[in-house]
């Protein structure tokens, strides 16, 4: 014999009930008991109606009408017209009784647990009757049996305790003499020995099925729901969650206790002793094998089998010096909660006995706090114990697995993963069986925590990086193209899953929580909402994704001022924008410190040399104990292009215009030609070498006329270049006469920095520097006579984008 239970979503509407019929029609080989829940959502409507009635809110009648309409509609759609009369008569009769009960609650202005049980039971009573009539009308050999006649309990209304001796005898006797193949029973409901209707608690339909399965020693208990088994994590929160094919009773019990709603926690207990396997199946995908819950068959030795969570938790803490070494404190504390019928989800106590901390449901915390303060009123008044401390809006996350016992490093791995993502842990507990490790965190961090832990324990070390890109112009578009091109390689070779969740230009911004399609990003962005830098940040912060990275491809000072806000929220920053790292030294140091404090890398490799690994190399020199003595460099790809291209056969104006058109200069070319861009770069290198320096400390020997520097538009700037063409030609001819080349050189030595145009003779490392290439010479304690040289393309959208890409990969490997 088999017992099948169908949940609320499985019987939510006539379409779904037809799917249930199809599943039952295939169970031809043996006798089956079928337990059903109320139509999806009806139990909540009944509870709301009873609450409204008890508060003398006439709107309870609207809920009653909705319940009536739904059930009558189901009969008319499911059962043939010729067979509807009896079913309609029965259901309307039951609805009249329900109306009377609600009216009584309305008139007296209250509701008792006993009355509440009667009202809420109608969900299962009505659904089971309608479904049984439907099955019979479809030719199935089915009969309706009221569970209240089989399952006997005490009078603990709301969550009654089962009398298993009587219940087992009733179930065994009934099914031994049952003549029909299918027995349809309402879940959740029972009755006491004195004849009162009782219920088995929310989720009690699972429990009903398990009670019957254990009583008749069934071959199998099948729980049919809307998901294909138990998952490694909640698939609604963790998209990468996988179905667990086999799981032990104990593991399933732990996961269900910690929020895996696919299975009601008490369900396992009745079948555990008889070792009746539980199959968790999907009504909407019946061919899927789902999950089999049975004896521990974890032969592959996997440690963590699932990650679960319990929401809406509060911590209640009792602490004070008067607790140390005093017998009976814990007893009084827990007894107080027990008297108030408050269930404890988690317990942790300091080894010093200075404090006790428990996790309880948010809805119970105010009553609990008041009761505990009353119990310890004397100790609180004498300052031996502090008034109870309450922390609300928390969640428990738990790792579960039979093989976690004595497995070294799991706790460290768990807490390290949470710490790296700035998820603060408020309390920790581990069961005596060592089958779970639990941590209490803020409610808003639960999605990040679950995804981070799932990534660590289940995803073959694939790390997901969530990018938020501001600036999708020349550099930004190249960067997105590179991400798209290399996505497969990153995942397969570097174990990095890179997604662009949000992007913005100066006009619009767009977000997609599952990742923006990089094939269609331009049209997606075009149809986005108006751009707003503060809303962009707020959205990233609200999403609260793990491994979030803000990528700034702009040259905006306003955007650079937002980096601190990102870092303070554990959002890494990658930027080619030089303004922040070359701004006031105090801000530069603040950003570096925030990156350390909040474990959020702040990377700006492209600030100097575009895609060249200049800053990264410098960091490794310093980290290894080397000391920088002098830096000489050609750091402007645009200026190097200009002076490599400019000669007596060209005009300076035309060459600079060409550099701008080919993307070598900043949008405002005066930033490059004035030397400001080079000043920023040598300043950054000096700071990364460990020196405190500001931009005003750098000497700038500008070659541009003052009139050109003072222009207020690109048009005026280019016009001024024409005016001073003779001066530029003289710069060239003077260098050529000495067989030298013009290079704009940056130098840092003895704590001082300067930039300016220099005549470079043959044989110098800078002489043959071509095109827009950059070169840096590091003279250090280890590189004294022959400097460490880094040379290569130092400008252009592609190489800058590749430098940003490299920083993203560095964070992925962090």
């Amino acid at each position: 014999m088999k017992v099948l239970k169908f949940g609320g979503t499985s019987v939510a509407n006539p379409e779904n009930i037809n799917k249930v019929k199809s599943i039952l029609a295939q169970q031809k080989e043996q006798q089956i008991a079928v337990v059903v829940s109320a139509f999806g959502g009806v139990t909540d409507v009944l509870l709301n109606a009873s609450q409204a009635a008890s508060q003398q809110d006439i709107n309870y009648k609207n809920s009653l009408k909705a319940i009536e309409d739904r059930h009558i509609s189901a009969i008319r759609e499911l059962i043939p017209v010729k067979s509807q009369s009896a079913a309609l008569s029965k259901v309307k009769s039951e609805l009249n009784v329900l109306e009377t009960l609600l009216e009584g609650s309305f008139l007296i202005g209250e509701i008792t647990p006993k009355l509440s049980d009667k009202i809420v039971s109608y969900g299962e009573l009505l659904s089971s009757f309608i479904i049984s009539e439907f099955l019979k009308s479809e030719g199935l050999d089915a009969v309706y049996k009221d569970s209240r006649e089989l399952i006997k309990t005490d009078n603990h209304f709301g969550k009654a305790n089962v009398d298993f001796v009587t219940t087992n005898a009733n179930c065994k006797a009934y099914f031994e003499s049952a003549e029909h193949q299918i027995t349809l029973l309402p879940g959740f409901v029972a009755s006491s020995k004195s004849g009162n209707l009782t219920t088995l608690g929310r989720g009690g339909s699972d429990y009903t099925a398990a009670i019957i399965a254990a009583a008749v020693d069934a071959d199998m208990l099948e729980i049919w729901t809307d998901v294909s088994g138990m998952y490694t994590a909640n698939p609604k929160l963790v998209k990468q969650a996988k179905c667990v094919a086999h799981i032990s009773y104990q593991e399933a019990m732990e996961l269900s206790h910690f929020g895996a709603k696919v299975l009601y926690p008490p369900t396992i207990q009745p079948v555990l002793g008889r070792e009746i396997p539980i199959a968790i199946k999907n009504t909407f995908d019946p061919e899927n094998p789902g999950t089999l819950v049975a004896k521990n068959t974890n032969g592959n030795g996997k440690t963590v089998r699932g990650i679960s969570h319990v929401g809406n938790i509060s911590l209640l803490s009792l602490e004070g010096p008067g607790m140390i070494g005093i017998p009976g404190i814990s007893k009084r504390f827990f007894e107080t909660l027990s008297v108030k019928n408050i269930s404890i989800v988690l317990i942790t106590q300091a080894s010093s006995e200075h404090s006790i901390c428990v996790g309880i449901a948010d809805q119970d915390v105010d009553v609990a706090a008041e009761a505990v303060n009353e119990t310890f009123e004397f100790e609180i008044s004498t300052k031996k114990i502090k008034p109870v401390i309450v922390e609300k809006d928390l969640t428990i996350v738990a790792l579960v697995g039979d093989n976690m016992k004595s497995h070294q490093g799991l706790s460290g791995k768990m807490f390290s993963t949470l710490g790296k993502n700035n998820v603060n842990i408020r309390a920790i507990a581990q069961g005596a069986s060592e089958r779970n490790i639990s941590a209490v965190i803020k409610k808003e961090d639960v999605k990040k925590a679950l995804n981070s832990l799932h990534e660590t324990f289940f995803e073959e070390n694939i790390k997901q990086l969530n990018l938020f890109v501001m600036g999708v112009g020349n550099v930004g578009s190249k960067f997105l193209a590179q991400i798209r091109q290399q996505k497969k390689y990153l995942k397969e070779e570097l174990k990095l899953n890179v997604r662009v969740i949000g992007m913005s230009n100066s006009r619009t911004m767009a977000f997609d929580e599952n990742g923006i399609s990089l094939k269609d990003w331009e049209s997606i962005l075009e149809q986005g909402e108006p751009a707003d830098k503060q809303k962009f940040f707020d959205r990233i912060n609200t999403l609260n994704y793990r491994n979030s990275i803000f990528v700034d491809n702009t040259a905006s000072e306003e955007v650079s001022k937002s980096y601190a806000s990102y870092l303070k929220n554990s959002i890494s920053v990658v930027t080619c924008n030089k303004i922040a790292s070359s701004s006031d030294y105090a801000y530069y140091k603040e950003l570096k410190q925030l990156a350390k404090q909040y474990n959020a890398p702040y990377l700006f490799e492209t600030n100097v040399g575009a895609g060249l690994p200049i800053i990264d190399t410098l960091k490794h020199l310093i980290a290894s104990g080397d000391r920088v003595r002098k830096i000489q460099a050609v750091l402007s790809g645009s200026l190097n292009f200009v002076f490599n291209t400019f000669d007596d056969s060209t005009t300076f104006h035309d060459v600079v215009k060409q550099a701008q058109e080919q993307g070598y200069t900043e949008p405002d070319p005066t930033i490059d030609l004035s030397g400001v861009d080079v000043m920023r770069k040598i300043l950054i290198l000096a700071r990364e070498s460990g020196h405190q320096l500001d931009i005003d400390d750098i000497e700038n020997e500008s070659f541009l006329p003052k009139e050109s520097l003072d222009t207020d538009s690109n048009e005026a700037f280019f016009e001024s270049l024409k005016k001073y063409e003779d001066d530029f030609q003289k710069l060239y001819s003077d260098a050529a006469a000495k067989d030298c080349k013009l290079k704009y050189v940056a130098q840092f030595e003895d704590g001082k920095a300067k930039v300016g145009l220099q005549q470079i003779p043959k044989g110098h490392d800078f002489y043959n520097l071509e095109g827009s290439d950059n070169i840096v010479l590091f003279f250090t304690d280890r590189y004294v006579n022959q400097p460490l040289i880094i040379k290569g393309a130092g400008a252009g959208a592609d190489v800058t984008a590749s430098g940003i890409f490299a920083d993203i990969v560095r964070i992925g490997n962090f």
Side-chain angles (χ1 to χ4, degrees), residues 420 463 465 467 479 483 490 494 496 498 547 549 572-575 599-620 688 790 799-814:
K420 282 182 180 178
K463 187 174 187 179
L465 304 180
L467 309 188
F479 168 67
I483 291 288
L490 290 172
L494 301 184
L496 297 176
V498 179
N547 306 324
I549 305 172
S572 301
V573 175
V574 170
T575 180
N599 202 37
Y602 167 50
L603 300 182
F604 43 91
E605 182 66 71
T606 50
N607 281 192
V608 182
L612 294 175
I614 296 172
I615 293 175
D616 197 50
T617 301
L618 179 55
K619 285 179 178 178
H620 287 308
E688 290 295 295
I790 302 171
V799 292
T800 303
S802 71
I804 296 167
F805 194 113
D807 275 345
I808 299 295
V809 172
R810 287 187 184 96
I811 291 177
N813 295 327
F814 178 67

Side-chain angles (χ1 to χ4, degrees), residues 507-526:
R507 302 178 304 281
T508 56
M509 61 184 187
F511 290 85
D512 187 329
E513 294 184 22
N514 295 315
I516 294 172
S517 167
L518 296 185
K519 179 183 178 182
D520 309 310
W521 70 264
E522 289 171 292
S523 60
I524 292 169
L525 183 58
E526 189 177 332

Side-chain angles (χ1 to χ4, degrees), residues 33 139 337 582 639:
L337 298 177
S582 60
L639 283 171

Side-chain angles (χ1 to χ4, degrees), residues 120-189:
V120 81
S121 71
Y122 277 88
E124 275 74 11
L125 293 174
L126 292 172
S127 70
S128 58
F129 173 74
I130 292 171
I131 294 169
S132 69
E133 292 297 300
F134 166 63
L135 295 179
K136 286 188 279 187
S137 72
E138 290 291 310
L140 274 67
D141 183 18
V143 67
Y144 174 78
K145 180 65 177 177
D146 193 336
S147 301
R148 292 174 292 184
E149 298 173 11
L150 301 179
I151 300 175
K152 296 300 176 181
T153 69
D154 61 11
N155 280 316
H156 190 274
F157 299 104
K159 193 175 182 181
N161 299 299
V162 177
D163 175 358
F164 281 100
V165 173
T166 306
T167 297
N168 289 347
N170 290 345
C171 291
K172 193 171 182 180
Y174 171 78
F175 283 102
E176 282 179 351
S177 61
E179 297 178 356
H180 297 273
Q181 186 214 354
I182 302 172
T183 301
L184 207 296
L185 305 105
F188 180 54
V189 297

Side-chain angles (χ1 to χ4, degrees), residues 71 196 274 365 401 480 650 654 670 740 772 813:
H71 289 86
N196 291 311
R274 296 183 180 271
V365 71
L480 293 174
T650 62
D654 289 347
T670 59
C740 292
S772 61
N813 295 327

Side-chain angles (χ1 to χ4, degrees), residues 345-393:
V345 183
L346 174 144
I347 304 170
T348 180
Q349 182 171 14
S351 58
S352 65
E353 301 182 55
H354 183 265
S355 66
I356 302 173
C357 178
V358 297
I360 60 176
D362 278 341
Q363 65 194 44
D364 295 328
V365 71
D366 292 333
V367 172
E370 183 180 350
V372 172
N373 281 333
E374 186 177 325
T375 296
F376 293 95
E377 184 177 5
F378 173 74
E379 287 86 351
I380 292 170
S381 67
T382 56
K383 310 294 184 184
K384 291 181 179 179
I385 294 178
K386 297 178 183 178
V388 73
I389 300 167
V390 172
E391 293 177 71
K392 297 183 179 181
D393 298 324

Side-chain angles (χ1 to χ4, degrees), residues 265-453:
T267 303
I268 299 165
Q269 200 61 49
V271 299
L272 175 60
R274 296 183 180 271
E275 296 185 357
I276 299 169
I278 305 172
I280 301 171
K281 306 269 286 176
N282 190 342
T283 305
F284 310 101
D285 184 12
E287 299 305 314
N288 192 303
T291 297
L292 183 68
V293 182
K295 289 178 67 176
N296 189 353
T297 56
N298 187 11
N300 56 16
K302 286 187 177 179
T303 51
V304 178
R305 304 303 307 283
I307 305 166
S308 201
H309 72 285
V310 182
N312 302 317
I313 292 294
S314 292
L315 283 183
L316 197 71
S317 301
L318 187 69
E319 60 181 61
M323 295 173 61
I324 301 173
I326 306 299
I329 294 288
S330 297
K331 175 180 179 296
R332 292 168 61 196
F333 180 70
F334 294 121
E335 192 171 63
T336 299
L337 298 177
S338 177
V339 167
K340 294 293 182 180
N341 201 29
I342 293 171
S343 179
I344 297 171
V345 183
L346 174 144
I347 304 170
T348 180
Q349 182 171 14
S351 58
S352 65
E353 301 182 55
H354 183 265
S355 66
I356 302 173
C357 178
V358 297
I360 60 176
D362 278 341
Q363 65 194 44
D364 295 328
V365 71
D366 292 333
V367 172
E370 183 180 350
V372 172
N373 281 333
E374 186 177 325
T375 296
F376 293 95
E377 184 177 5
F378 173 74
E379 287 86 351
I380 292 170
S381 67
T382 56
K383 310 294 184 184
K384 291 181 179 179
I385 294 178
K386 297 178 183 178
V388 73
I389 300 167
V390 172
E391 293 177 71
K392 297 183 179 181
D393 298 324
L394 302 171
T395 292
I396 299 173
V397 293
L399 300 185
V400 173
D402 281 339
N403 290 351
M404 287 169 55
K405 186 174 183 178
S406 304
H407 191 94
Q408 294 87 352
L410 281 179
S411 298
K413 201 172 179 181
M414 176 183 184
F415 302 138
S416 173
T417 298
L418 295 176
K420 282 182 180 178
N421 284 279
N422 201 36
V423 176
N424 187 41
I425 298 172
R426 274 297 301 115
I428 298 166
Q430 183 166 12
S433 66
E434 298 186 53
R435 195 173 281 117
N436 81 67
I437 305 170
S438 308
V440 182
I441 63 172
K442 291 180 180 177
K443 181 171 67 176
E444 58 263 31
D445 286 333
V446 66
K447 187 173 182 179
K448 181 197 288 186
L450 290 174
N451 278 276
S452 300
L453 292 170

